[in-house]
mmCIF file of all heavy atoms in Angstrom:
data_model
loop_
_atom_site.group_PDB
_atom_site.id
_atom_site.type_symbol
_atom_site.label_atom_id
_atom_site.label_comp_id
_atom_site.label_asym_id
_atom_site.label_seq_id
_atom_site.Cartn_x
_atom_site.Cartn_y
_atom_site.Cartn_z
ATOM 1 N N GLY A 1 -12.485 85.101 -109.916
ATOM 2 C CA GLY A 1 -11.297 85.975 -109.492
ATOM 3 C C GLY A 1 -10.042 85.625 -110.232
ATOM 4 O O GLY A 1 -8.901 85.802 -109.623
ATOM 5 N N ALA A 2 -10.117 85.032 -111.376
ATOM 6 C CA ALA A 2 -8.942 84.594 -112.111
ATOM 7 C C ALA A 2 -8.970 84.999 -113.547
ATOM 8 O O ALA A 2 -10.107 85.166 -114.163
ATOM 9 C CB ALA A 2 -8.781 83.079 -111.919
ATOM 10 N N TYR A 3 -7.800 85.065 -114.217
ATOM 11 C CA TYR A 3 -7.719 85.304 -115.603
ATOM 12 C C TYR A 3 -7.602 83.936 -116.388
ATOM 13 O O TYR A 3 -6.875 83.075 -115.978
ATOM 14 C CB TYR A 3 -6.409 86.116 -115.955
ATOM 15 C CG TYR A 3 -6.505 87.543 -115.552
ATOM 16 C CD1 TYR A 3 -6.069 87.980 -114.286
ATOM 17 C CD2 TYR A 3 -7.009 88.558 -116.386
ATOM 18 C CE1 TYR A 3 -6.111 89.346 -113.951
ATOM 19 C CE2 TYR A 3 -7.102 89.877 -116.033
ATOM 20 C CZ TYR A 3 -6.651 90.239 -114.828
ATOM 21 O OH TYR A 3 -6.746 91.587 -114.440
ATOM 22 N N GLN A 4 -8.298 83.884 -117.460
ATOM 23 C CA GLN A 4 -8.328 82.714 -118.258
ATOM 24 C C GLN A 4 -6.920 82.308 -118.823
ATOM 25 O O GLN A 4 -6.591 81.195 -118.868
ATOM 26 C CB GLN A 4 -9.355 82.759 -119.414
ATOM 27 C CG GLN A 4 -9.437 81.551 -120.325
ATOM 28 C CD GLN A 4 -10.448 81.716 -121.437
ATOM 29 O OE1 GLN A 4 -11.194 82.647 -121.460
ATOM 30 N NE2 GLN A 4 -10.422 80.694 -122.343
ATOM 31 N N TYR A 5 -6.165 83.391 -119.218
ATOM 32 C CA TYR A 5 -4.947 83.158 -119.890
ATOM 33 C C TYR A 5 -3.681 83.447 -119.041
ATOM 34 O O TYR A 5 -2.584 83.718 -119.517
ATOM 35 C CB TYR A 5 -4.911 83.955 -121.230
ATOM 36 C CG TYR A 5 -5.915 83.517 -122.145
ATOM 37 C CD1 TYR A 5 -7.149 84.188 -122.305
ATOM 38 C CD2 TYR A 5 -5.800 82.343 -122.847
ATOM 39 C CE1 TYR A 5 -8.139 83.822 -123.173
ATOM 40 C CE2 TYR A 5 -6.735 81.906 -123.786
ATOM 41 C CZ TYR A 5 -7.952 82.647 -123.909
ATOM 42 O OH TYR A 5 -8.915 82.158 -124.746
ATOM 43 N N LEU A 6 -3.867 83.359 -117.702
ATOM 44 C CA LEU A 6 -2.775 83.317 -116.753
ATOM 45 C C LEU A 6 -2.732 81.974 -116.085
ATOM 46 O O LEU A 6 -3.780 81.447 -115.701
ATOM 47 C CB LEU A 6 -2.895 84.383 -115.763
ATOM 48 C CG LEU A 6 -2.282 85.790 -116.002
ATOM 49 C CD1 LEU A 6 -2.358 86.655 -114.772
ATOM 50 C CD2 LEU A 6 -0.831 85.699 -116.422
ATOM 51 N N ASN A 7 -1.620 81.316 -115.907
ATOM 52 C CA ASN A 7 -1.468 80.043 -115.234
ATOM 53 C C ASN A 7 -1.921 80.172 -113.818
ATOM 54 O O ASN A 7 -1.613 81.170 -113.199
ATOM 55 C CB ASN A 7 -0.073 79.460 -115.381
ATOM 56 C CG ASN A 7 0.365 79.147 -116.735
ATOM 57 O OD1 ASN A 7 -0.462 78.901 -117.584
ATOM 58 N ND2 ASN A 7 1.684 79.174 -116.989
ATOM 59 N N ALA A 8 -2.630 79.146 -113.346
ATOM 60 C CA ALA A 8 -3.103 79.186 -111.989
ATOM 61 C C ALA A 8 -2.016 78.945 -110.912
ATOM 62 O O ALA A 8 -2.009 79.648 -109.917
ATOM 63 C CB ALA A 8 -4.243 78.082 -111.868
ATOM 64 N N SER A 9 -1.105 78.077 -111.180
ATOM 65 C CA SER A 9 -0.140 77.777 -110.120
ATOM 66 C C SER A 9 1.279 77.586 -110.587
ATOM 67 O O SER A 9 2.144 76.981 -109.952
ATOM 68 C CB SER A 9 -0.574 76.494 -109.383
ATOM 69 O OG SER A 9 -0.705 75.405 -110.328
ATOM 70 N N SER A 10 1.549 78.162 -111.768
ATOM 71 C CA SER A 10 2.920 77.942 -112.365
ATOM 72 C C SER A 10 3.323 79.245 -113.064
ATOM 73 O O SER A 10 2.502 79.963 -113.586
ATOM 74 C CB SER A 10 3.008 76.776 -113.281
ATOM 75 O OG SER A 10 2.166 76.978 -114.443
ATOM 76 N N GLY A 11 4.623 79.466 -113.130
ATOM 77 C CA GLY A 11 5.172 80.695 -113.753
ATOM 78 C C GLY A 11 5.380 81.798 -112.855
ATOM 79 O O GLY A 11 4.704 81.909 -111.790
ATOM 80 N N LEU A 12 6.337 82.668 -113.116
ATOM 81 C CA LEU A 12 6.770 83.796 -112.214
ATOM 82 C C LEU A 12 5.863 84.991 -112.420
ATOM 83 O O LEU A 12 5.700 85.459 -113.551
ATOM 84 C CB LEU A 12 8.107 84.126 -112.489
ATOM 85 C CG LEU A 12 8.765 85.331 -111.716
ATOM 86 C CD1 LEU A 12 8.726 85.130 -110.265
ATOM 87 C CD2 LEU A 12 10.153 85.647 -112.270
ATOM 88 N N ILE A 13 5.337 85.481 -111.326
ATOM 89 C CA ILE A 13 4.657 86.772 -111.353
ATOM 90 C C ILE A 13 5.284 87.637 -110.256
ATOM 91 O O ILE A 13 5.412 87.275 -109.079
ATOM 92 C CB ILE A 13 3.162 86.625 -111.047
ATOM 93 C CG1 ILE A 13 2.458 85.817 -112.107
ATOM 94 C CG2 ILE A 13 2.471 87.978 -110.822
ATOM 95 C CD1 ILE A 13 0.931 85.652 -111.871
ATOM 96 N N LYS A 14 5.796 88.795 -110.687
ATOM 97 C CA LYS A 14 6.425 89.753 -109.737
ATOM 98 C C LYS A 14 5.317 90.664 -109.211
ATOM 99 O O LYS A 14 4.542 91.205 -109.944
ATOM 100 C CB LYS A 14 7.489 90.632 -110.454
ATOM 101 C CG LYS A 14 8.615 89.769 -111.004
ATOM 102 C CD LYS A 14 9.671 90.607 -111.670
ATOM 103 C CE LYS A 14 10.826 89.750 -112.294
ATOM 104 N NZ LYS A 14 11.829 90.567 -112.986
ATOM 105 N N VAL A 15 5.326 90.881 -107.895
ATOM 106 C CA VAL A 15 4.257 91.585 -107.241
ATOM 107 C C VAL A 15 4.892 92.844 -106.483
ATOM 108 O O VAL A 15 5.914 92.717 -105.849
ATOM 109 C CB VAL A 15 3.513 90.775 -106.188
ATOM 110 C CG1 VAL A 15 2.377 91.525 -105.572
ATOM 111 C CG2 VAL A 15 2.954 89.498 -106.865
ATOM 112 N N THR A 16 4.182 93.998 -106.671
ATOM 113 C CA THR A 16 4.700 95.223 -106.005
ATOM 114 C C THR A 16 3.538 95.738 -105.268
ATOM 115 O O THR A 16 2.393 95.956 -105.740
ATOM 116 C CB THR A 16 5.202 96.265 -107.042
ATOM 117 O OG1 THR A 16 6.197 95.657 -107.829
ATOM 118 C CG2 THR A 16 5.782 97.476 -106.327
ATOM 119 N N ASN A 17 3.797 96.167 -103.911
ATOM 120 C CA ASN A 17 2.835 96.831 -103.090
ATOM 121 C C ASN A 17 3.234 98.213 -102.790
ATOM 122 O O ASN A 17 4.461 98.551 -102.810
ATOM 123 C CB ASN A 17 2.666 96.041 -101.796
ATOM 124 C CG ASN A 17 2.177 94.606 -101.953
ATOM 125 O OD1 ASN A 17 1.251 94.318 -102.723
ATOM 126 N ND2 ASN A 17 2.827 93.619 -101.318
ATOM 127 N N TYR A 18 2.288 99.161 -102.543
ATOM 128 C CA TYR A 18 2.534 100.542 -102.398
ATOM 129 C C TYR A 18 1.882 101.064 -101.118
ATOM 130 O O TYR A 18 0.840 100.585 -100.654
ATOM 131 C CB TYR A 18 1.986 101.310 -103.624
ATOM 132 C CG TYR A 18 2.649 100.875 -104.942
ATOM 133 C CD1 TYR A 18 2.054 99.890 -105.679
ATOM 134 C CD2 TYR A 18 3.732 101.550 -105.436
ATOM 135 C CE1 TYR A 18 2.652 99.451 -106.827
ATOM 136 C CE2 TYR A 18 4.298 101.207 -106.675
ATOM 137 C CZ TYR A 18 3.701 100.127 -107.339
ATOM 138 O OH TYR A 18 4.267 99.696 -108.564
ATOM 139 N N SER A 19 2.402 102.149 -100.694
ATOM 140 C CA SER A 19 1.789 102.991 -99.653
ATOM 141 C C SER A 19 1.702 104.374 -100.178
ATOM 142 O O SER A 19 2.568 104.862 -100.940
ATOM 143 C CB SER A 19 2.571 102.981 -98.314
ATOM 144 O OG SER A 19 3.892 103.485 -98.538
ATOM 145 N N ALA A 20 0.605 105.054 -99.741
ATOM 146 C CA ALA A 20 0.397 106.491 -100.305
ATOM 147 C C ALA A 20 0.411 107.432 -99.144
ATOM 148 O O ALA A 20 0.000 107.199 -98.090
ATOM 149 C CB ALA A 20 -0.966 106.514 -100.997
ATOM 150 N N SER A 21 0.967 108.649 -99.443
ATOM 151 C CA SER A 21 0.937 109.685 -98.466
ATOM 152 C C SER A 21 0.671 110.982 -99.275
ATOM 153 O O SER A 21 0.969 111.106 -100.441
ATOM 154 C CB SER A 21 2.283 109.835 -97.704
ATOM 155 O OG SER A 21 3.362 110.082 -98.583
ATOM 156 N N THR A 22 0.082 111.949 -98.604
ATOM 157 C CA THR A 22 -0.316 113.238 -99.247
ATOM 158 C C THR A 22 0.517 114.363 -98.734
ATOM 159 O O THR A 22 0.590 114.620 -97.608
ATOM 160 C CB THR A 22 -1.744 113.520 -99.078
ATOM 161 O OG1 THR A 22 -2.587 112.381 -99.573
ATOM 162 C CG2 THR A 22 -2.134 114.737 -99.805
ATOM 163 N N ASN A 23 1.154 115.123 -99.676
ATOM 164 C CA ASN A 23 1.835 116.306 -99.318
ATOM 165 C C ASN A 23 0.895 117.489 -99.640
ATOM 166 O O ASN A 23 0.710 117.907 -100.786
ATOM 167 C CB ASN A 23 3.168 116.477 -100.154
ATOM 168 C CG ASN A 23 3.940 117.762 -99.685
ATOM 169 O OD1 ASN A 23 3.398 118.749 -99.337
ATOM 170 N ND2 ASN A 23 5.226 117.553 -99.762
ATOM 171 N N ILE A 24 0.162 117.994 -98.534
ATOM 172 C CA ILE A 24 -0.847 118.978 -98.786
ATOM 173 C C ILE A 24 -0.345 120.280 -99.367
ATOM 174 O O ILE A 24 -0.938 120.841 -100.257
ATOM 175 C CB ILE A 24 -1.574 119.256 -97.500
ATOM 176 C CG1 ILE A 24 -2.338 118.008 -97.006
ATOM 177 C CG2 ILE A 24 -2.591 120.315 -97.656
ATOM 178 C CD1 ILE A 24 -2.901 118.093 -95.612
ATOM 179 N N ALA A 25 0.900 120.669 -99.006
ATOM 180 C CA ALA A 25 1.475 121.879 -99.429
ATOM 181 C C ALA A 25 1.708 121.895 -100.930
ATOM 182 O O ALA A 25 1.536 122.844 -101.656
ATOM 183 C CB ALA A 25 2.794 122.225 -98.735
ATOM 184 N N LEU A 26 2.060 120.750 -101.486
ATOM 185 C CA LEU A 26 2.293 120.588 -102.856
ATOM 186 C C LEU A 26 1.131 120.001 -103.694
ATOM 187 O O LEU A 26 1.182 119.829 -104.843
ATOM 188 C CB LEU A 26 3.523 119.667 -103.137
ATOM 189 C CG LEU A 26 4.895 120.136 -102.663
ATOM 190 C CD1 LEU A 26 5.961 119.189 -102.886
ATOM 191 C CD2 LEU A 26 5.269 121.507 -103.163
ATOM 192 N N GLY A 27 0.058 119.698 -102.941
ATOM 193 C CA GLY A 27 -1.119 119.199 -103.588
ATOM 194 C C GLY A 27 -0.826 117.805 -104.271
ATOM 195 O O GLY A 27 -1.434 117.460 -105.288
ATOM 196 N N GLN A 28 0.045 117.012 -103.608
ATOM 197 C CA GLN A 28 0.588 115.842 -104.325
ATOM 198 C C GLN A 28 0.406 114.573 -103.414
ATOM 199 O O GLN A 28 0.668 114.563 -102.304
ATOM 200 C CB GLN A 28 2.049 116.085 -104.462
ATOM 201 C CG GLN A 28 2.841 115.029 -105.170
ATOM 202 C CD GLN A 28 4.318 115.327 -105.253
ATOM 203 O OE1 GLN A 28 5.051 114.852 -104.318
ATOM 204 N NE2 GLN A 28 4.769 116.084 -106.145
ATOM 205 N N VAL A 29 -0.080 113.539 -104.091
ATOM 206 C CA VAL A 29 -0.098 112.175 -103.489
ATOM 207 C C VAL A 29 1.078 111.471 -103.969
ATOM 208 O O VAL A 29 1.273 111.322 -105.125
ATOM 209 C CB VAL A 29 -1.397 111.478 -103.833
ATOM 210 C CG1 VAL A 29 -1.343 110.069 -103.285
ATOM 211 C CG2 VAL A 29 -2.643 112.198 -103.417
ATOM 212 N N ARG A 30 1.889 111.065 -102.991
ATOM 213 C CA ARG A 30 3.118 110.288 -103.309
ATOM 214 C C ARG A 30 2.906 108.856 -103.101
ATOM 215 O O ARG A 30 2.354 108.387 -102.041
ATOM 216 C CB ARG A 30 4.306 110.768 -102.450
ATOM 217 C CG ARG A 30 4.704 112.245 -102.709
ATOM 218 C CD ARG A 30 6.126 112.449 -102.171
ATOM 219 N NE ARG A 30 6.175 112.145 -100.735
ATOM 220 C CZ ARG A 30 6.076 113.085 -99.769
ATOM 221 N NH1 ARG A 30 5.966 114.296 -100.059
ATOM 222 N NH2 ARG A 30 6.279 112.655 -98.520
ATOM 223 N N TYR A 31 3.375 107.943 -104.019
ATOM 224 C CA TYR A 31 3.250 106.535 -103.926
ATOM 225 C C TYR A 31 4.682 106.022 -103.761
ATOM 226 O O TYR A 31 5.549 106.220 -104.503
ATOM 227 C CB TYR A 31 2.597 105.987 -105.178
ATOM 228 C CG TYR A 31 1.140 106.351 -105.348
ATOM 229 C CD1 TYR A 31 0.848 107.481 -105.925
ATOM 230 C CD2 TYR A 31 0.175 105.611 -104.748
ATOM 231 C CE1 TYR A 31 -0.490 107.927 -106.047
ATOM 232 C CE2 TYR A 31 -1.181 106.009 -104.889
ATOM 233 C CZ TYR A 31 -1.468 107.177 -105.594
ATOM 234 O OH TYR A 31 -2.755 107.538 -105.646
ATOM 235 N N SER A 32 4.796 105.208 -102.675
ATOM 236 C CA SER A 32 6.096 104.690 -102.359
ATOM 237 C C SER A 32 5.924 103.156 -102.268
ATOM 238 O O SER A 32 4.928 102.643 -101.796
ATOM 239 C CB SER A 32 6.672 105.186 -101.007
ATOM 240 O OG SER A 32 6.734 106.577 -100.994
#
Protein backbone atom coordinates (compact mmCIF):
# COMPACT_ATOMS: atom_id res chain seq x y z
CA GLY A 1 0.00 0.00 0.00
CA ALA A 2 2.94 2.34 -0.55
CA TYR A 3 4.82 4.11 -3.36
CA GLN A 4 8.49 3.23 -3.81
CA TYR A 5 9.48 6.83 -4.57
CA LEU A 6 7.50 8.62 -1.84
CA ASN A 7 9.05 8.99 1.60
CA ALA A 8 7.41 6.84 4.23
CA SER A 9 7.49 9.25 7.17
CA SER A 10 9.06 12.52 6.06
CA GLY A 11 8.16 15.39 3.78
CA LEU A 12 4.97 17.40 3.37
CA ILE A 13 1.91 15.89 1.69
CA LYS A 14 -1.19 18.07 1.38
CA VAL A 15 -4.43 16.08 1.59
CA THR A 16 -7.88 17.10 0.35
CA ASN A 17 -11.14 15.28 1.11
CA TYR A 18 -14.41 15.71 -0.80
CA SER A 19 -18.13 15.17 -0.44
CA ALA A 20 -20.40 14.61 -3.42
CA SER A 21 -23.99 15.61 -4.01
CA THR A 22 -26.21 15.22 -7.06
CA ASN A 23 -28.36 17.96 -8.60
CA ILE A 24 -30.89 15.83 -10.47
CA ALA A 25 -32.46 18.79 -12.28
CA LEU A 26 -29.11 19.72 -13.81
CA GLY A 27 -27.89 16.15 -14.17
CA GLN A 28 -24.81 17.21 -12.27
CA VAL A 29 -22.68 15.68 -9.55
CA ARG A 30 -21.09 18.43 -7.49
CA TYR A 31 -17.89 17.84 -5.55
CA SER A 32 -17.24 20.03 -2.55
